[in-house]
Amino acid sequence: MALERGYVHVYTGDGKGKTSAALGLCLRAVGHGLRCFVIQFMKGNVEYGELEAAKALGTGKLEIRQMGREAREDSGPVQIDLKWAEDGLRLAAKVFEKGEHDVVVLDEVVGAVNRGLLKVDDVLRLLDKRPDGVEVVLTGTDAPPEILAAGHVVTVMRAEKHYAAVGVRKRAGIDY
């Protein structure tokens, strides 16, 4: 089942749930026979639960590729991070060219832009290459106006309350 028309989703804001929403969309898509490809920017050295979940699905319809190292608040762009981010964009372009996936998630691509690893214009050019039947999801805090304008669906997660504020550490299976 291919999509007749694909749209661009932007999940942004300071609240929890952007990646979870994107992965939930993928889970739903796989349930309807669609193929999903997730590129995770700045998330390469953490064993996120979704990596094992994709394997557990066992269908091959959800592929996740990590492109980079986990972002640190005190780190600016360094050469290896720039290369990973650029490689992630090139990979997305190849996924579009091959035409084998119905949904493509660019997880934390907004974060890569905000950290200076990617240029907004390069992300927008990539979106212009998107085939008509491919749904694309971009995630990350503080999406710039140009990315918001490119979205057909824009959702802003707003933090009201989070247990991290009282010292609760990230929990496996819930936060990563």
Side-chain angles (χ1 to χ4, degrees):
M1 174 186 136
L3 297 171
E4 188 175 313
R5 169 120 201 263
Y7 294 94
V8 175
H9 300 240
V10 179
Y11 301 156
T12 191
D14 64 354
K16 180 178 171 16
K18 296 172 288 291
T19 296
S20 298
L23 291 168
L25 185 145
C26 287
L27 185 62
R28 178 176 287 161
V30 167
H32 284 280
L34 300 175
R35 292 187 51 134
C36 302
F37 199 103
V38 178
I39 299 170
Q40 293 187 315
F41 293 83
M42 304 183 313
K43 289 187 172 182
N45 57 347
V46 175
E47 291 298 317
Y48 290 98
E50 58 263 26
L51 300 171
E52 290 303 316
K55 291 177 199 171
L57 280 175
T59 64
K61 291 184 183 276
L62 175 59
E63 186 173 345
I64 301 174
R65 189 85 52 88
Q66 293 181 316
M67 301 298 290
R69 305 178 300 163
E70 183 175 24
R72 292 181 39 195
E73 293 302 318
D74 62 346
S75 67
V78 296
Q79 194 59 42
I80 189 66
D81 297 323
L82 292 165
K83 181 184 180 329
W84 275 112
E86 291 165 2
D87 287 350
L89 272 192
R90 277 193 287 280
L91 175 59
K94 286 180 185 173
V95 170
F96 287 164
E97 286 172 24
K98 281 187 172 182
E100 297 175 354
H101 293 84
D102 307 289
V103 177
V104 176
V105 175
L106 306 176
D107 186 31
E108 275 304 331
V109 72
V110 171
V113 167
N114 290 339
R115 287 190 181 275
L117 301 177
L118 296 172
K119 293 183 173 83
V120 172
D121 289 343
D122 292 337
V123 174
L124 296 175
R125 270 193 290 282
L126 174 69
L127 291 178
D128 288 341
K129 295 178 184 176
R130 174 182 59 90
D132 287 340
V134 175
E135 202 86 1
V136 178
V137 182
L138 294 81
T139 73
T141 304
D142 296 326
E146 301 90 339
I147 288 180
L148 295 174
H152 299 101
V153 175
V154 175
T155 302
V156 179
M157 285 24 173
R158 186 181 73 222
E160 291 287 327
K161 187 177 186 179
H162 196 292
Y163 45 72
V166 294
V168 176
R169 292 178 182 238
K170 290 182 179 180
R171 300 174 300 146
I174 304 300
D175 299 304
Y176 67 95

